[in-house]
Amino acid sequence: MDRRHKANQLRKNKKDMVLTEKRRLGSRDGPPHLVVVVSLHAQADAGAITKLLRGEGAGGIVHHDRCISGVSDSFGLILPRFKQRFTFLSQSTADMHSLLDVTKIADSLVFVLDSTEGWDTYGDYCLSCVFAQGLPSYALVCQGVSELPVKKRVESRRALSKITEARFPDARLFPLDSEQDATLLLRHLGTQRQRKLGFRSKRSHLIAQHVTFTPNNPVDSTSGATGLGTLCVSGYVRGRPLRVDRLVHISGHGDFQLSQIDAPVDPLPLNLTVSRPLKPSKGGDVDMQENEAPVRVLMKADPSNRESLQAEAEVDPMDGEQTWPTESELLEAEEARKKKRVMKVPKGTSDYQATWIVDEGEEENGDMDEESSDNDDDDDMMDEAMDKEDGEIDSQDPGSCCDSEEEEEEEEEEVCSTERAGADQRYDEHMDEAAEEEGLKRYRDARANEMFPDEVDTPLDTPARIRFQRYRGLKSFRSSPWDPMENLPLDYSRIFQFQSFERTRRRILAEAAAEEDGAMDGWYVTLHIIDVPFSVMESVQSGKPLVLVSLLPHEQKMSVMHVLVQRHPSNTEPIKSKEELVFHCGFRRFRASPIFSQHTSADKHKMERFLRPDAPIVVSLYAPITFPPSGVLLFKQRNDGIQDLVATGSLLSCDPQRVVLKRIVLSGHPFKINRRSAVVRYMFFNRDDIMWFKPVELRTKWGRRGHIKEALGTHGHMKCVFDNQLRSQDTVLMNLYKRVYPRWTYDPYVPAPLTWVKREGTVEMEDLDME
């Protein structure tokens, strides 16, 4: 009975907690219900929806227009009948960055659909992006249904419901043609169940309703336009309590520190006569200005307790250096000195001077080492011959063939030649030949990698033992050891890592959930953010919303992040590893050059040269630490500024010791077969290379295993022994591996893409009039 009674009490407490949180949103004790109106069709008018909602017949009182700083079509709405307050924001889908930013913090989304088609192709693209990062509560709205005849209304709504059930299986469709329909929509928005998003429920966040900028040097008139200053951002705190000693992140602009938090008068009080005062903090000061309401200072930052903006670890180039060699090293040096080597030196050179002279062979090897280390990212030479063929083919003018064909058509059809030539000329004016050549080369590389995975050609002019000196053979990719701390790059000295990332994540999230200090959820506060560039204020003045989030501990530090993604079906172009992509990770937006690898549970993971469309891929990159859960979107930016959605997924972990191995496959062909032994050629082209790679195991495409027994001659023929007889059509393979790392190209500033809208049947661009 005691256990049953305790279970009932826990169930009742959880139910009361959910009801309290649900009733708090939009009430007097909570923040206003933030509703974002999004149009998913070119013919759908979001402005008409907001006009109906702010009408007097809807029962609401519009307290003030333009309540969101920088956004013109935004207003605050108070419903005394329902004892709720709303903030409505109409966001255009043309600016994808702003659309994703406001949907991250929106309590509800209102999707405006067309009465016949629902949404178009670009609207479906916007839905894919919103679904990938996390969909809050929503409502579907359409207009024009009441204008149809009575007999066709039911049929129209049934057809529209059939269209929407693919994306929204159990969604209710609201016709919005009158003020009574607007009242029903407001009631639904205020009472519907709120869907939680993990990445925002763990952190405090707000959208700016009033923004001011004060330069640090007011004497200099030019400092306000180019220098740093203090940004005062006012808004309602949402999510968790906001602490003044934590760092804040402004989406698209970076991380900053707070100096103090004020408590101004609530601009959207539920009681229009008396504004609810906030609970005073300990030692809180009150600033009085002439003809203004009092502003209470809630808390000020303590420089000793405030988190640092340090993102990278301090690199000590002398770390690990020794001041005096050990006795074993002195003995080794003495033995090496005693071993005399015969070399040609200038006449009159002493022994000491001769030790500093480098042999030609050593010099060549050293140059090759430097070249291979510097060009580690581009050392795949499997397509060298193919690149030459591409260069010969692509070097020809693509317009020459068209010109010759047009001349022949002019001789045959003189009437149609002028129009066709003019159309071809207009089409060629908007074609980027360099992009076409690059796309052709990328397609050929992806097709060659799909047909012959990881196979490379052994160079003829360079010894294979030097060209592939950074690779090694493995007896078993699954069980052979690989030290994760071996030969780490210099960039690893700049990053941070955890002894146990999962344990740290659980501890920090538990501490964040138990925090009760700071500006509480629902308070209207003003944040003083120091050392902010003026470009943030310019972004607000240009009409873009300002979204701010409080970071958890360690989330400003750089490390190696891993993301599990799936290629988006709309993307058909091959995406190569270490290609620069745009990431939307939680509240962050940045550019980076990641590497792709297989998603397995082993201690070593094979690198993928291209993003595979048929399997989930792990994307590894240098980025600030972010604690899961969090949705991730990957975009690729074209040369003309357009960004295409490439893949979607979620954060996996933060692990710099995750070993990603790049594999190359050297292939040879059997020349003479004698039972279990065979003579293989074309894998190597000199005797020294065969002896160098002799310990590495061989395999064939038909499943045979073997090893190199001896070299035959000096031109690369070798005798190999296998576990069974070879077939003449079989191919002998040798697998070599090396560890790879992502490129450090992290850039937190991502410029907004050009306005580009793709609708069904047409492409809208400048100076392009064609279907």
Side-chain angles (χ1 to χ4, degrees):
M1 292 295 294
D2 291 341
R3 290 196 299 266
R4 190 176 301 171
H5 182 63
K6 183 178 180 181
N8 291 334
Q9 286 181 333
L10 293 176
R11 189 181 303 111
K12 183 177 180 301
N13 292 337
K14 289 184 179 180
K15 185 177 179 180
D16 294 341
M17 188 183 303
V18 172
L19 289 177
T20 302
E21 185 177 356
K22 178 180 178 181
R23 294 166 182 167
R24 180 182 176 86
L25 181 63
S27 64
R28 184 179 60 181
D29 298 329
H33 197 118
L34 180 60
V35 182
V36 178
V37 183
V38 181
S39 176
L40 297 180
H41 197 279
Q43 305 300 328
D45 187 8
I49 301 296
T50 56
K51 184 177 180 181
L52 274 175
L53 294 175
R54 64 157 57 101
E56 296 181 358
I61 301 175
V62 179
H63 194 254
H64 59 285
D65 290 333
R66 195 165 183 156
C67 64
I68 303 298
S69 180
V71 181
S72 59
D73 195 2
S74 62
F75 60 94
L77 186 66
I78 299 177
L79 295 176
R81 178 182 176 185
F82 301 146
K83 296 182 180 180
Q84 288 183 335
R85 50 181 180 171
F86 294 86
T87 299
F88 283 90
L89 166 64
S90 180
Q91 179 60 43
S92 173
T93 57
D95 187 0
M96 184 58 65
H97 288 341
S98 299
L99 175 63
L100 294 177
D101 287 343
V102 296
T103 54
K104 290 172 185 175
I105 63 171
D107 298 317
S108 298
L109 299 179
V110 175
F111 293 116
V112 185
L113 310 179
D114 184 66
S115 58
T116 57
E117 299 180 2
W119 53 74
D120 52 14
T121 54
Y122 188 72
D124 186 73
Y125 171 77
C126 296
L127 283 177
S128 299
C129 298
V130 174
F131 270 78
Q133 76 169 6
L135 181 68
S137 302
Y138 59 89
L140 303 182
V141 172
C142 66
Q143 284 186 318
V145 178
S146 61
E147 299 177 358
L148 298 175
V150 179
K151 296 182 179 180
K152 293 186 177 181
R153 291 181 185 177
V154 178
E155 183 180 354
S156 176
R157 293 190 62 176
R158 186 179 303 168
L160 190 57
S161 299
K162 188 175 181 180
I163 295 174
T164 57
E165 68 181 3
R167 288 279 191 180
F168 310 98
D170 301 326
R172 178 183 173 185
L173 188 63
F174 290 87
L176 197 63
D177 295 316
S178 63
E179 294 179 345
Q180 184 179 3
D181 297 336
T183 304
L184 293 177
L185 178 62
L186 290 174
R187 178 186 289 271
H188 173 75
L189 293 175
T191 58
Q192 70 175 346
R193 181 180 179 182
Q194 294 297 315
R195 304 178 64 179
K196 282 191 174 182
L197 299 181
F199 67 93
R200 77 177 185 186
S201 62
K202 309 294 184 183
R203 304 166 178 84
S204 59
H205 53 278
L206 60 84
I207 184 170
Q209 298 195 194
H210 181 69
V211 181
T212 59
F213 182 82
T214 304
N216 291 338
N217 187 9
V219 178
D220 188 1
S221 60
T222 61
S223 63
T226 58
L228 303 178
T230 301
L231 191 71
C232 296
V233 179
S234 301
Y236 291 95
V237 179
R238 303 173 185 271
R240 305 302 308 168
L242 179 61
R243 296 178 54 180
V244 70
D245 56 350
R246 292 283 174 83
L247 298 179
V248 294
H249 174 77
I250 301 178
S251 296
H253 298 282
D255 304 335
F256 304 96
Q257 291 178 328
L258 295 176
S259 60
Q260 71 180 38
I261 300 179
D262 299 340
V265 178
D266 192 342
L268 192 65
L270 191 59
N271 186 358
L272 297 180
T273 57
V274 181
S275 177
R276 177 178 63 91
L278 292 178
K279 186 183 298 183
S281 61
K282 297 181 180 179
D285 300 330
V286 177
D287 296 340
M288 293 292 294
Q289 298 180 3
E290 295 182 1
N291 300 327
E292 289 187 2
V295 177
R296 182 179 294 107
V297 179
L298 291 180
M299 56 196 74
K300 291 186 178 182
D302 185 4
S304 60
N305 297 330
R306 188 165 50 188
E307 290 191 10
S308 173
L309 287 171
Q310 181 183 5
E312 301 178 11
E314 297 181 359
V315 181
D316 185 6
M318 301 301 295
D319 187 18
E321 293 292 331
Q322 54 187 6
T323 57
W324 187 256
T326 61
E327 295 181 0
S328 59
E329 292 176 343
L330 292 174
L331 293 176
E332 292 178 359
E334 185 66 20
E335 293 178 358
R337 189 184 64 83
K338 291 179 180 179
K339 295 180 181 179
K340 297 182 179 180
R341 54 180 179 174
V342 180
M343 57 182 299
K344 295 181 179 180
V345 296
K347 188 176 182 179
T349 304
S350 63
D351 295 339
Y352 176 78
Q353 293 173 339
T355 57
W356 294 93
I357 299 178
V358 182
D359 292 340
E360 295 181 357
E362 294 181 359
E363 186 175 1
E364 293 177 359
N365 295 346
D367 295 342
M368 188 61 64
D369 288 342
E370 294 178 0
E371 182 178 358
S372 61
S373 61
D374 293 340
N375 302 328
D376 180 41
D377 299 331
D378 300 320
D379 67 338
D380 297 333
M381 301 179 64
M382 66 174 182
D383 301 324
E384 192 172 354
M386 184 178 292
D387 294 344
K388 294 180 180 178
E389 294 177 3
D390 293 343
E392 294 175 359
I393 296 175
D394 299 337
S395 61
Q396 299 177 0
D397 186 5
S400 60
C401 298
C402 298
D403 296 338
S404 61
E405 292 178 0
E406 290 175 6
E407 291 175 2
E408 294 177 358
E409 291 174 358
E410 287 178 0
E411 295 176 358
E412 298 177 358
E413 301 176 0
E414 296 181 357
V415 179
C416 301
S417 61
T418 306
E419 298 179 357
R420 186 171 303 173
D424 292 344
Q425 185 177 2
R426 289 195 302 271
Y427 187 83
D428 291 341
E429 288 178 355
H430 299 279
M431 180 176 292
D432 189 355
E433 296 183 4
E436 288 289 321
E437 294 178 4
E438 183 181 356
L440 177 61
K441 181 180 180 299
R442 187 180 291 109
Y443 270 112
R444 288 182 175 178
D445 293 346
R447 185 173 58 182
N449 183 72
E450 184 177 358
M451 296 175 62
F452 307 100
D454 302 326
E455 289 195 27
V456 301
D457 294 331
T458 306
L460 298 174
D461 54 347
T462 304
R465 63 185 183 278
I466 295 178
R467 172 62 186 88
F468 305 122
Q469 61 184 345
R470 304 188 64 181
Y471 292 83
R472 70 181 70 173
L474 293 179
K475 178 68 176 178
S476 173
F477 184 82
R478 182 186 61 85
S479 60
S480 296
W482 194 295
D483 187 6
M485 304 299 293
E486 175 187 1
N487 293 333
L488 295 178
L490 185 60
D491 290 336
Y492 264 51
S493 61
R494 304 163 58 186
I495 65 174
F496 295 86
Q497 62 178 343
F498 301 97
Q499 291 184 353
S500 177
F501 175 74
E502 185 61 26
R503 184 173 66 244
T504 304
R505 184 186 74 89
R506 289 196 300 264
R507 178 180 59 83
I508 288 180
L509 293 183
E511 292 176 355
E515 282 183 355
E516 295 182 356
D517 298 335
M520 304 303 293
D521 179 26
W523 289 8
Y524 184 80
V525 298
T526 298
L527 308 180
H528 295 257
I529 311 173
I530 59 176
D531 295 337
V532 179
F534 186 73
S535 59
V536 180
M537 193 64 190
E538 290 179 342
S539 176
V540 176
Q541 294 174 352
S542 64
K544 297 181 180 179
L546 184 67
V547 175
L548 185 144
V549 60
S550 177
L551 298 179
L552 297 176
H554 309 301
E555 284 195 329
Q556 81 279 10
K557 300 176 182 178
M558 296 290 294
S559 186
V560 180
M561 302 297 299
H562 306 286
V563 182
L564 183 62
V565 301
Q566 182 81 34
R567 184 168 173 175
H568 196 262
S570 64
N571 179 261
T572 57
E573 295 184 1
I575 306 300
K576 195 174 183 181
S577 182
K578 296 186 180 180
E579 190 172 352
E580 188 177 68
L581 300 174
V582 177
F583 287 77
H584 284 251
C585 180
F587 287 95
R588 291 188 181 274
R589 183 169 62 244
F590 55 87
R591 288 184 293 183
S593 299
I595 58 175
F596 307 142
S597 60
Q598 294 180 352
H599 180 47
T600 60
S601 59
D603 60 343
K604 296 180 291 297
H605 310 271
K606 178 183 170 298
M607 191 196 83
E608 293 288 345
R609 299 174 187 268
F610 292 89
L611 187 63
R612 297 181 57 183
D614 56 345
I617 294 294
V618 176
V619 177
S620 304
L621 68 153
Y622 292 110
I625 297 171
T626 304
F627 293 105
S630 178
V632 179
L633 284 77
L634 275 67
F635 292 86
K636 180 184 177 183
Q637 186 165 347
R638 302 183 192 172
N639 296 331
D640 53 2
I642 301 173
Q643 293 182 2
D644 298 328
L645 182 62
V646 172
T648 59
S650 59
L651 277 176
L652 182 62
S653 65
C654 170
D655 185 13
Q657 296 187 11
R658 189 177 192 270
V659 179
V660 179
L661 299 183
K662 177 181 178 180
R663 183 185 70 175
I664 62 171
V665 180
L666 305 181
S667 59
H669 304 275
F671 177 52
K672 294 180 181 180
I673 301 176
N674 184 14
R675 293 188 181 180
R676 293 178 56 189
S677 64
V679 178
V680 181
R681 59 179 178 178
Y682 300 150
M683 182 178 290
F684 303 108
F685 299 101
N686 60 73
R687 185 183 185 89
D688 295 336
D689 289 343
I690 297 175
M691 302 307 295
W692 179 268
F693 290 99
K694 186 177 179 180
V696 183
E697 186 182 17
L698 302 176
R699 68 177 183 88
T700 68
K701 289 188 176 181
W702 285 28
R704 304 278 74 84
R705 298 277 180 172
H707 61 276
I708 301 174
K709 186 175 182 180
E710 59 181 349
L712 302 178
T714 59
H715 295 284
H717 290 208
M718 56 185 181
K719 185 177 181 180
C720 305
V721 180
F722 297 90
D723 57 356
N724 207 338
Q725 185 172 2
L726 254 63
R727 299 295 181 92
S728 59
Q729 62 269 32
D730 204 350
T731 304
V732 182
L733 306 175
M734 176 183 289
N735 294 339
L736 300 175
Y737 302 92
K738 78 167 181 178
R739 188 177 177 183
V740 291
Y741 307 90
R743 292 178 179 173
W744 192 297
T745 58
Y746 173 77
D747 185 6
Y749 176 72
V750 180
L754 300 178
T755 302
W756 182 81
V757 181
K758 184 177 181 182
R759 301 295 183 186
E760 293 183 357
T762 61
V763 178
E764 300 177 7
M765 296 180 69
E766 295 182 358
D767 302 330
L768 182 58
D769 185 14
M770 58 185 298
E771 292 188 357

